[in-house]
């Protein structure tokens, strides 16, 4: 087992924040995790599981042992009358996996093209875009318990998926399928994820940006490849490419409010962008709220609010060769945004990335 010391983390987090891992082990298989658990030095020490680093804000050198997931492999593992079951290693790049499924004739993930990060991180926050969430295509996953070394599988109910949420984001107890279980935050390493991709594929439409592409291209029944290409084009037009400008995607969740709360906000701000959800509650566009508070394009130090999408915070600094925003600057900016949105609308925005 190779324990690398003082490893620069800037290339491994999409915000490109400068920090070091005091110790890091690359994980290509269960055996690599087991080797860590078999050493007296690391068996019981705190651990941090690193995927694509696209949903974290690093606030200083990382002291827990970093387990960098590099489990590879993509394959068709099963087939039912209704669906193909495709499995990918946790270390596979999410977008490359989506492209592979399309190239091999298993559509269904195209609305989630270009989401940064790895396959293993995708269930943690139940990634989603343009009307499809991971939980809609999820079959099961294999993970390893970082305390006992046991490998276990979870189905969708056991993952307790919510909006950008799952059992992997909680440390205390979590309700899954009406039952209380222990949260798996910092406890599990996701090795492989399986997806169920329906044979009777139907496009998921309805999002304004996609409807616009259909109208522009005079297409009524798009193919999965067309949706994939459009989603890539939409995202490239309004979201910064982390390879060029450091960022962690949407920085805050879209808040859910009651109809009464929404009516109150509409009375004061008739233009507020909102969507009615199936359970009767209403989702507000956090990007709109932040934009309305005048934050678009503003900065604190080298942390800034992206000019084309106020929900995305960016690193205006030097790029991958050092310098740039610190985690502290990002936190200060995030806090200032939360305060002004709270003072104007009475809503506390909840950050989406994890602070490390
Ligand atoms: N808006 C503004 N000003 C802004 C930004 C947005 O007025 O600066 C308005 C837009 O005009 C639009 C509304 O807010 O009417 C919503 O914006 P958008 O369609 O860009 O989507 P979003 O709610 O900001 C969510 C997800 C994205 C996902 C898109 C498309 C969250 C937190 N974000 O963004 O996911 O790609 O919908 O489905 O749910 C991510 O989680 O990292 C992410 C990028």
């Amino acid at each position: 087992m190779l324990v690398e010391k003082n490893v620069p983390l800037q290339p491994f987090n999409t915000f490109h924040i400068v920090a070091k891992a005091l110790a890091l082990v690359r994980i290509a298989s269960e055996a690599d995790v087991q080797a860590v658990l078999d050493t007296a030095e690391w068996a019981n020490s705190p651990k941090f599981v690193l995927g694509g680093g696209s949903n974290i804000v690093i606030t200083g050198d990382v002291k827990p042992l970093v387990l960098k997931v590099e489990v590879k492999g993509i394959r068709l593992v099963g087939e039912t009358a209704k669906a193909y079951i495709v499995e990918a290693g946790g270390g596979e790049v999410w977008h490359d996996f989506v492209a592979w499924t399309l190239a091999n004739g298993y559509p269904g993930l195209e609305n989630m093209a270009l989401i940064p990060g790895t396959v293993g991180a995708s269930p943690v926050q139940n990634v989603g875009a343009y009307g499809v969430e991971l939980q809609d295509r999820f079959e099961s996953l294999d993970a390893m318990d970082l305390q006992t070394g046991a490998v276990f599988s979870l189905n969708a109910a056991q993952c307790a998926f919510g909006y950008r949420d799952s059992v992997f984001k909680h440390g205390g107890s979590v309700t899954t399928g009406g039952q209380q279980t222990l949260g798996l935050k910092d406890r599990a390493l996701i090795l492989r994820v399986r997806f169920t991709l329906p044979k009777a594929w139907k496009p998921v439409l309805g999002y304004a940006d996609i409807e616009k592409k259909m109208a522009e291209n005079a297409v009524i029944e798009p193919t999965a490849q067309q949706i994939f290409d459009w989603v890539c084009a939409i995202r490239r037009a309004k979201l910064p490419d982390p390879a060029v400008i450091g960022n962690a995607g949407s920085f805050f969740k879209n808040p859910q409010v009651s109809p009464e709360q929404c009516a109150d906000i509409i009375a004061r701000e008739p233009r507020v962008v909102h969507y009615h959800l199936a359970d009767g509650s209403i989702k507000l566009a956090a990007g709109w709220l932040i934009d309305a508070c005048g934050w678009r394009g503003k900065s604190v130090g080298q942390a800034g609010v992206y000019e084309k999408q106020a929900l995305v915070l960016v690193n205006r600094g030097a790029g991958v060769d050092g310098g740039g925003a610190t985690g502290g600057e990002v936190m200060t900016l995030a806090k200032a945004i939360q305060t002004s949105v709270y003072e104007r609308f009475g809503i506390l925005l909840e950050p989406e990335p994890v602070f490390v």
Side-chain angles (χ1 to χ4, degrees):
M1 179 184 74
L2 176 65
V3 181
E4 299 170 50
K5 297 287 174 74
N6 296 317
V7 181
L9 288 176
Q10 199 182 19
F12 300 150
N13 77 97
T14 63
F15 239 117
H16 304 316
I17 288 170
V18 177
K20 286 188 309 243
L22 300 192
L24 179 147
V25 176
R26 293 167 193 267
I27 304 296
S29 70
E30 285 92 320
D32 292 332
V33 183
Q34 197 55 58
V36 170
L37 299 182
D38 286 344
T39 63
E41 187 182 2
W42 301 110
N44 297 312
S45 61
K47 298 174 188 69
F48 173 72
V49 178
L50 177 65
S54 61
N55 203 44
I56 56 173
V57 179
I58 303 181
T59 56
D61 290 343
V62 179
K63 292 174 193 70
L65 175 65
V66 174
L67 303 177
K68 184 169 183 299
V69 183
E70 296 185 351
V71 181
K72 295 288 170 130
I74 302 179
R75 61 200 180 109
L76 180 72
V77 289
E79 194 177 334
T80 65
K82 292 193 169 162
Y84 298 107
I85 315 293
V86 178
E87 180 184 89
E92 292 287 348
V93 172
W94 171 264
H95 178 71
D96 296 348
F97 169 58
V98 174
W100 184 95
T101 57
L102 282 189
N104 286 275
Y106 315 122
L109 299 175
E110 56 283 347
N111 294 50
M112 295 187 284
L114 265 196
I115 292 181
T118 54
V119 168
S122 64
V124 176
Q125 58 155 352
N126 185 22
V127 296
Y130 303 103
V132 181
E133 283 185 321
L134 176 115
Q135 66 175 346
D136 303 326
R137 303 283 182 262
F138 180 86
E139 207 269 333
S140 57
L141 60 77
D142 300 334
M144 197 153 177
D145 186 315
L146 293 175
Q147 288 172 9
T148 65
V151 175
F152 59 95
S153 300
L154 297 181
N155 62 25
Q158 291 166 319
C159 288
F161 291 124
Y163 167 55
R164 297 296 190 272
D165 198 24
S166 75
V167 71
F168 300 101
K169 282 188 118 174
H170 297 271
S173 67
V174 179
T175 307
T176 69
Q179 297 197 330
Q180 289 282 109
T181 55
L182 274 185
L184 292 173
K185 185 175 186 323
D186 300 329
R187 234 196 106 178
L189 182 144
I190 297 172
L191 296 160
R192 289 170 289 272
V193 186
R194 285 171 291 277
F195 298 83
T196 176
L197 302 171
K199 289 181 176 172
W201 175 85
K202 283 205 302 282
V204 177
L205 308 172
Y207 262 61
D209 286 335
I210 293 192
E211 300 280 332
K212 206 166 130 203
K213 288 281 180 199
M214 288 170 64
E216 279 168 14
N217 293 280
V219 172
I220 296 163
E221 284 183 37
T223 63
Q225 187 62 45
Q226 279 173 318
I227 294 177
F228 177 91
D229 292 341
W230 292 338
V231 167
C232 290
I234 295 163
R235 292 185 73 103
R236 287 199 173 105
K238 75 169 161 197
L239 296 171
D241 177 356
V244 182
I245 304 173
N247 75 91
S250 297
F251 200 90
F252 297 100
K253 295 184 189 181
N254 284 325
Q256 252 168 264
V257 297
S258 66
E260 295 76 18
Q261 232 183 325
C262 188
D264 167 58
I265 292 171
I266 289 173
R268 287 182 285 131
E269 283 290 348
R271 291 161 306 150
V272 64
V273 177
H274 59 286
Y275 317 92
H276 293 267
L277 302 181
D279 66 2
S281 66
I282 292 163
K283 192 162 85 174
L284 304 178
W288 189 93
L289 299 173
I290 298 167
D291 199 4
C293 291
W295 279 103
R296 190 137 48 112
K298 296 268 172 62
S299 302
V300 165
Q302 301 207 65
V305 181
Y306 191 52
E307 283 73 8
K308 297 182 202 160
Q309 225 295 12
L311 195 52
V312 179
L313 303 193
V314 295
N315 183 352
R316 301 203 195 281
V320 285
D321 55 351
T326 62
E329 281 172 339
V330 176
M331 282 170 97
T332 306
L333 175 60
K335 198 98 204 134
I337 292 170
Q338 279 175 317
T339 303
S340 69
V341 169
Y342 186 76
E343 283 173 356
R344 171 122 179 240
F345 297 105
I347 285 168
L348 184 60
L349 294 178
E350 193 187 328
E352 209 192 275
V354 175
F355 290 86
V356 184

